[in-house]
Amino acid sequence: MHTVLAASTRLNLSLTQNLFVIALCALTAFVSHMALAVFNDGVRPFMLDFVQGRAKRSATTSVSFGLSAGFIFGLGAPMALASGVLNPWLLFLPTDILGILSPKTWIAPLLGGAWGAVVVFGLGGANDLAHDLPVDFLTSMQQMSAPILFLFTLFPVLAITKQFGRPRGAFAAMLELTLVVLTMKLWPTVFAGSLAMAAGVLLLIGFAVRRDLLRRKQERAREEQQGRGLEKEQKREEAGGDPMASLFSGSALRLRRHLPLFMVLGAGVCVLAQMHIFGGGEATSFLIAKGQYSEAAQVDFYRMFGFIPLIATTALASGAYGIAGFTLVYPLGYLLPNPFLAATVGAVVFALEVLALSSVGKVLGKLPSVRDSSEHLRAAITETLGLAILFGSLLAAHVMGGGLAVLVVGGLYLLNEAMGRPVVRMAAAPAAVVVGGVLLNLLHWLDLFTPLKS
C-alpha cells in the first residue's frame, strides 16, 4: 500500500527563515490595515463598506475574527503541528485580524510581526513539548495524511457529477481510479493522485468551456435570425455598458495605484513557498513535509482553478485583493531553485494579476459555466477534505489511545455539531484530536490511562 506520511513533524526553521516569517507577517498585517488585501475570502466582501467608511474598524475586526478564529486554532495550528509545515490559516488569517484591528498604520506591522514571532518560536516550543508527552498526539496526527491526500484526489469527480450529471461523473471517476492504479504501479515514488487530479480538472474545464461556447453560438444564431444583434450592441453602448463596470474599474484602479506594494507582497509569499517550510493547503502541507515538491505544486495548481473567479470578483467588488493573489505563487515557489528567483517571479506574477484583474472579470462574465465550475470545485474541495479530515482524525485518535481516544475525539466532534458548530466543521476534528491528546495525558498523570505501545 502506498501511503504518504510526513517524515518529521518537527518545526526546524533556521534563523533566516524565522526572521523572514516575522517580516512577512508584518507586511501582511500592514496590507490588511490598508484594506488592500485580506486572506479570508469570506471577509473580503465586507471590506467595501470599510473602505468607503460605512463600517467602523471595530465592526470589521469582529467580522474577520468571527470568520477566521475557528480556522486558525482548529485547522491552522493542528495542521502545522501535525505536518511540521506552516500554512496560510496560521500565518495570514491572524494578520488579517490584527491589521484591521490596529488603530494606527505603524502599529499594524508591529502586531503582525509579533504574531509571526509567536508562531515561529512558540509553536516550535509547543511542538517539542508535545512530542515529549507520554501520549504523543502530534505523531498520531500524521495518520491524517493518507485520507487527506487520496480523498482530495476525488474533488474534480464530485464537481463534474454535480455540474454535468452522473454519466460524466462516473466516467471521470473511472478515469481517475485507473490513473491512480497505474501511477502506483508504474511510478511508485510519485504521489498517486497527481495524474488523476490533472485529468479530472482538465475534464471539468473542458466540459464547462464547451458548454459556454455552444451557448454563445446558439445565442448568436438566434440574434442573427431575429436581426437584433446590432441593435442590442448599440443599446449596450448607449447605456454605458455593464452597470457594475464603474464600480469594478474603480476597485481595479485602487489596487493598481499600490502595485509596488503588491509586488513586494507577491515576492514575499513566493519566497516563503520556495523555502519549503510552508504549504498552501491541507494536502500540500503533508507533501511538502515529505519533500514531494512537484506533487505539491500540482495539487495547489489544480486547486487554484476553484478560487480564481471568487478572488477576482470579490476583489473587483470590494477593492481588496487576496494576500496570496490567485495563489499561483504557491506552486511556482515550490518549484523554483532559489529565493532570489522566487522573489522576482512572485513580484512579476502579482503585478500581472493586479493589472489583469479587470480583464479576468470580463472574461468570467462571458463564461458562466466556468464560473459555476469554480463554485462546484470549491464545494467539492470542502466536501472531500471534510470527510478526509474527519476520517484521518479518527484514525489518529485510534493510534493515539484506542477506543477511549476515538470516543473522546468523535464525541467532541458530535458535540460541536449538536451545539451549532461553534468551531467550523473542517476544523472541529483536528481540534478535537489536540484536546483529546491533552486529556489523555492528564488521565495518564492521574494513573487512569496507559498509553498504547507504538
Side-chain angles (χ1 to χ4, degrees):
M1 179 179 178
H2 181 74
T3 59
V4 182
L5 293 176
S8 172
T9 60
R10 303 279 179 174
L11 289 168
N12 296 320
L13 275 62
S14 68
L15 177 61
T16 301
Q17 291 170 339
N18 287 337
L19 294 176
F20 186 85
V21 171
I22 292 171
L24 184 59
C25 287
L27 174 62
T28 55
F30 174 76
V31 171
S32 172
H33 176 83
M34 299 292 289
L36 291 172
V38 290
F39 180 77
N40 194 322
D41 296 321
V43 173
R44 200 172 300 114
F46 293 92
M47 298 302 289
L48 179 62
D49 288 339
F50 178 64
V51 169
Q52 297 182 349
R54 294 193 299 268
K56 294 183 178 180
R57 189 172 293 277
S58 58
T60 310
T61 302
S62 298
V63 170
S64 182
F65 181 82
L67 292 174
S68 302
F71 287 101
I72 297 169
F73 301 108
L75 186 62
M79 286 298 296
L81 290 169
S83 65
V85 174
L86 301 175
N87 58 68
W89 307 286
L90 184 62
L91 294 182
F92 301 146
L93 289 182
T95 58
D96 281 358
I97 300 168
L98 294 171
I100 299 172
L101 172 68
S102 174
K104 302 289 184 181
T105 301
W106 62 271
I107 296 178
L110 295 180
L111 293 176
W115 174 255
V118 168
V119 170
V120 296
F121 296 116
L123 197 65
N127 184 287
D128 293 337
L129 176 63
H131 279 296
D132 293 333
L133 293 173
V135 181
D136 184 358
F137 56 88
L138 294 188
T139 299
S140 301
M141 288 180 73
Q142 292 189 61
Q143 298 295 323
M144 296 171 62
S145 64
I148 288 175
L149 289 171
F150 282 91
L151 287 177
F152 184 72
T153 302
L154 293 173
F155 77 88
V157 175
L158 270 64
I160 290 171
T161 304
K162 290 186 176 182
Q163 186 174 6
F164 297 104
R166 296 176 184 175
R168 291 181 178 178
F171 171 76
M174 292 302 298
L175 177 62
E176 285 208 4
L177 178 60
T178 301
L179 290 174
V180 168
V181 173
L182 287 176
T183 304
M184 294 175 70
K185 181 67 176 178
L186 301 177
W187 306 287
T189 59
V190 175
F191 170 50
S194 298
L195 289 176
M197 275 189 287
V201 171
L202 288 175
L203 273 179
L204 177 64
I205 295 174
F207 290 150
V209 170
R210 181 176 180 274
R211 176 179 286 184
D212 282 331
L213 292 178
L214 288 175
R215 180 182 294 150
R216 291 185 64 187
K217 184 178 180 180
Q218 292 170 356
E219 289 176 353
R220 283 196 299 266
R222 284 198 300 268
E223 290 174 2
E224 290 174 359
Q225 290 176 357
Q226 298 172 3
R228 296 200 313 228
L230 292 174
E231 181 182 348
K232 288 181 69 176
E233 187 64 29
Q234 291 173 355
K235 287 183 178 180
R236 189 180 297 115
E237 292 177 358
E238 292 173 1
D242 187 350
M244 296 298 289
S246 60
L247 173 62
F248 279 12
S249 62
S251 296
L253 182 62
R254 177 177 186 265
L255 296 176
R256 288 177 185 176
R257 283 200 298 265
H258 296 88
L259 190 61
L261 183 59
F262 281 112
M263 293 177 70
V264 175
L265 179 62
V269 177
C270 197
V271 170
L272 181 67
Q274 191 280 329
M275 289 179 173
H276 300 149
I277 60 172
F278 172 89
E282 300 89 344
T284 316
S285 295
F286 289 107
L287 289 170
I288 293 292
K290 185 67 176 177
Q292 296 180 310
Y293 306 130
S294 60
E295 288 87 346
Q298 292 179 57
V299 169
D300 273 351
F301 181 74
Y302 306 143
R303 182 176 182 148
M304 176 186 68
F305 291 103
F307 290 88
I308 287 179
L310 174 65
I311 294 169
T313 53
T314 54
L316 289 169
S318 67
Y321 198 40
I323 288 293
F326 291 151
T327 70
L328 180 58
V329 289
Y330 291 166
L332 290 175
Y334 303 148
L335 298 176
L336 291 172
N338 62 71
F340 302 104
L341 183 58
T344 303
V345 170
V348 171
V349 167
F350 252 55
L352 293 175
E353 288 181 3
V354 172
L355 293 174
L357 207 50
S358 294
S359 299
V360 172
K362 291 177 183 178
V363 171
L364 291 173
K366 298 176 182 178
L367 299 173
S369 294
V370 173
R371 290 201 314 273
D372 292 344
S373 293
S374 73
E375 294 177 6
H376 286 294
L377 275 176
R378 291 197 306 276
I381 288 171
T382 300
E383 287 184 31
T384 53
L385 287 176
L387 176 62
I389 290 173
L390 174 59
F391 184 64
S393 297
L394 292 175
L395 278 177
H398 187 266
V399 171
M400 176 174 66
L404 177 60
V406 172
L407 172 65
V408 171
V409 172
L412 288 172
Y413 179 87
L414 293 173
L415 181 62
N416 183 70
E417 290 286 309
M419 294 173 63
R421 298 185 199 132
V423 179
V424 292
R425 177 177 284 174
M426 190 175 293
V433 176
V434 175
V435 173
V438 173
L439 179 59
L440 290 180
N441 278 290
L442 291 174
L443 292 176
H444 170 71
W445 288 326
L446 294 173
D447 201 24
L448 296 174
F449 174 75
T450 302
L452 299 179
K453 295 181 180 180
S454 58

